[in-house]
Amino acid sequence: MAAINTTSASIPHWALNGTIYGSNDSFLLLNIFPADVADDLFYKLRDEIAWNEMRQKGGRVPRDISIQGTIEVKDGDEYEPLYRHPADEQPELIMWTPTALIIKERIEELIEQKLNHALIQYYRNGKDFIGEHSDKTLDVLLHSNIVNYSLGAARTMILKHKTQAGVKQRFKLPHNSLFILGWKTNREWLHSIKQDNRADMDKDADELAFSSQRISLTLRSIATFRNRRTGELHGQGARNKTLEEINRDQTMDTNDEQNMLMAFSAENKQSSEFDWDQQYGEGFNALNFKVLNSILIDEEEKTNDIKA
């Protein structure tokens, strides 16, 4: 299905030269940096990051991972942005590495949105993939854009409408491109990058570039925070919405982990009827899904792939 046309009045000024996708609030922008700069960014980013594994439901996610973000200091304590999704365990968040910071600041300037968290993923070859999912918005600043910057080999993004059977949009994410995932598109469509099992002779040159390696930076505006010393949470997705509300007893509801995981599943399955306030509004203090993920395996999520 081709990109949907809409009037320029509803398009942000920074997206006027982009291609529109999804529910008319998602855009693909090209040539974010000069070509020679972007090539250099790929190699610098790949080599400066100490890549980690991430696991879900006991299996290794088919990509390497780095989690980076903005760590703020208040009254002597460090607070990191917290993005929760159904992973058994994930690497510790680190401060921005030099090249990641350059990319983040350029994108902030371009789309006029502050970004404080990045899930950086290294697709080592065409076999690495990410299954279809909606991003989990418990901790994402309400109604903000989620953006994905691509470096390296081109891969095909697939948007699949949740309620209109057979409605899909397929498009390449080229080197040095930025895909802006709008709030409504994330609600109404699933997105994925499938495993590419074609022979090299059947692939385009841009899919073979950079030895078929790709790095993606998914940048978000996160509104939930964790005290790195005490582990206490506050903000949009936590039970305590402000620092002032925190007391030293942050005990979880007995079903906190299970309820949060079920809310994540609802966001993946439901479309425009998903009620954010009902599912997420009260907040959760849970962090870890290792035990629950071995029990609550949804039929649509029976893969070893992280549903970010």
Side-chain angles (χ1 to χ4, degrees), residues 83 130-136 162 186 189-193 220 268 301 305-308:
Y83 176 66
I130 186 164
E132 59 186 29
H133 64 282
S134 289
D135 279 23
K136 308 305 176 284
K162 290 184 179 181
N186 188 58
W189 302 68
L190 301 170
H191 58 277
S192 63
I193 294 177
R220 300 177 174 95
N268 233 35
E301 297 176 348
D305 180 37
I306 185 70
K307 310 288 187 183

Side-chain angles (χ1 to χ4, degrees), residues 49-52 64-68 91 94 97 118-121:
I49 289 177
W51 296 99
N52 301 281
D64 285 341
I65 303 292
S66 175
I67 299 176
Q68 301 187 19
I94 63 171
T97 56
L119 176 62
I120 306 177
Q121 305 186 81

Side-chain angles (χ1 to χ4, degrees), residues 66-109:
S66 175
I67 299 176
Q68 301 187 19
T70 303
I71 299 173
E72 298 182 354
V73 178
K74 297 178 182 178
D75 298 326
D77 276 338
E78 294 183 335
Y79 295 88
E80 66 178 43
L82 177 67
Y83 176 66
R84 288 170 288 182
H85 50 96
D88 295 351
E89 54 192 33
Q90 57 183 343
E92 181 181 355
L93 180 143
I94 63 171
M95 282 287 286
W96 303 100
T97 56
T99 305
L101 182 61
I102 290 170
I103 294 168
K104 177 192 87 88
E105 290 178 344
R106 167 66 181 132
I107 294 172
E108 285 180 325
E109 178 185 37

Side-chain angles (χ1 to χ4, degrees), residues 144-200:
S144 62
N145 290 314
I146 298 166
V147 300
N148 184 273
Y149 178 66
S150 295
L151 288 168
R155 295 292 296 270
T156 298
M157 170 75 83
I158 301 174
L159 297 181
K160 176 183 174 183
H161 203 279
K162 290 184 179 181
T163 60
Q164 298 179 27
V167 175
K168 294 183 180 181
Q169 298 179 357
R170 293 179 174 86
F171 52 96
K172 279 186 179 180
L173 299 175
H175 174 56
N176 194 27
S177 67
L178 182 68
F179 179 62
I180 295 94
L181 177 66
W183 195 268
K184 189 175 182 183
T185 297
N186 188 58
R187 178 69 50 84
E188 297 177 350
W189 302 68
L190 301 170
H191 58 277
S192 63
I193 294 177
K194 301 296 187 183
Q195 193 173 57
D196 190 346
N197 293 312
R198 294 175 299 159
D200 285 353

